[in-house]
Amino acid sequence: MAKHKRKNVAGHAVSGVIIAAVLLLVLCFIYATVYKPWSMKSRYILEYEETIRAHSEQYGVDPYLVAAMIYCESTYNPQAVSSVGARGLMQVMPDTGEWIAKKIDIEEFTEDMLFDTSINIEMGCWYMSFLLERYEGNQSCAVGAYHCGHGKMDGWLEDPMISSDGKTLENIPEGETKKYINRVNNAYDIYKELYPDIF
């Protein structure tokens, strides 16, 4: 009789372990397929999709890169103003905006135009297209130049201590620019994963 009870207890213990394992697998599945994507999308928001798509296509820039840059620059706040005066979604400096406005035929440019979501995204896309062409499609160099300026990036690429081939960065001397490049590239991968069918 005691042996029979022990077998029942052992059987119940095994059943309990199996049930717990199944529940754990179900919870892991729910976390991976429902909660984690929802949680990530609540952090990596995506807005202005049509505007991003239109201007990215217009200037031949990857829309996921634009989405990532907007996230890193302003976290999708069209009224954002940085400590140095960069404005809008893609944090365009007023003097850069004035220069770009002449390139894309925007007349009577004013700084307040940088708070217009369509104008700001168009300017950011044009500038990224300019930088990507300047650096032969090297995304890290283009992103870095967006952050520190293409004059400084050109100087880095000419320095053999920073770039051995004059085309790629091997040792970025400014920590903030390095962090920015890594942050944008990371966000770029995340946006492609989270929103695979948006663009």
Side-chain angles (χ1 to χ4, degrees):
M1 193 70 169
K3 288 182 180 179
H4 180 67
K5 285 184 178 180
R6 280 198 295 272
K7 286 181 181 178
N8 284 342
V9 170
H12 288 312
V14 171
S15 297
V17 169
I18 293 171
I19 291 170
V22 170
L23 285 173
L24 182 61
L25 287 172
V26 170
L27 288 172
C28 288
F29 177 79
I30 292 171
Y31 173 80
T33 60
V34 179
Y35 177 76
K36 185 179 178 183
W38 173 85
S39 177
M40 291 290 285
K41 282 184 177 181
S42 68
R43 178 182 174 188
Y44 290 88
I45 62 172
L46 177 60
E47 299 176 357
Y48 313 107
E49 296 97 316
E50 291 301 322
T51 306
I52 291 171
R53 181 183 294 110
H55 291 312
S56 295
E57 187 175 313
Q58 180 181 3
Y59 295 108
V61 181
D62 187 334
Y64 289 103
L65 176 58
V66 177
M69 291 185 70
I70 293 174
Y71 170 79
C72 293
E73 290 286 349
S74 66
T75 56
Y76 285 82
N77 175 8
Q79 299 300 314
V81 179
S82 76
S83 60
V84 295
R87 300 182 178 207
L89 290 171
M90 297 192 74
Q91 291 289 277
V92 179
M93 291 291 289
D95 56 345
T96 304
E98 186 175 6
W99 173 63
I100 295 173
K102 293 174 183 176
K103 299 289 186 181
I104 60 177
D105 298 322
I106 293 178
E107 298 180 356
E108 298 180 6
F109 171 78
T110 66
E111 293 180 8
D112 286 343
M113 287 182 178
L114 296 175
F115 295 119
D116 180 296
T117 56
S118 182
I119 290 174
N120 191 284
I121 291 172
E122 180 176 5
M123 285 187 167
C125 286
W126 181 91
Y127 191 37
M128 277 307 298
S129 176
F130 166 82
L131 293 172
L132 286 164
E133 183 176 353
R134 188 182 189 92
Y135 300 112
E136 301 178 7
N138 187 306
Q139 181 169 303
S140 291
C141 287
V143 168
Y146 194 96
H147 180 262
C148 70
H150 55 267
K152 184 173 285 188
M153 180 60 66
D154 289 351
W156 287 349
L157 291 173
E158 291 169 3
D159 186 341
M161 298 294 291
I162 298 172
S163 174
S164 62
D165 60 3
K167 296 180 179 180
T168 55
L169 294 170
E170 288 147 15
N171 179 32
I172 303 171
E174 283 188 9
E176 287 304 311
T177 298
K178 183 175 183 178
K179 287 178 185 176
Y180 180 78
I181 293 171
N182 290 338
R183 189 169 177 234
V184 170
N185 286 340
N186 181 59
Y188 172 68
D189 291 337
I190 290 171
Y191 271 95
K192 286 197 297 181
E193 181 181 350
L194 288 179
Y195 304 97
D197 302 319
I198 294 293
F199 300 119

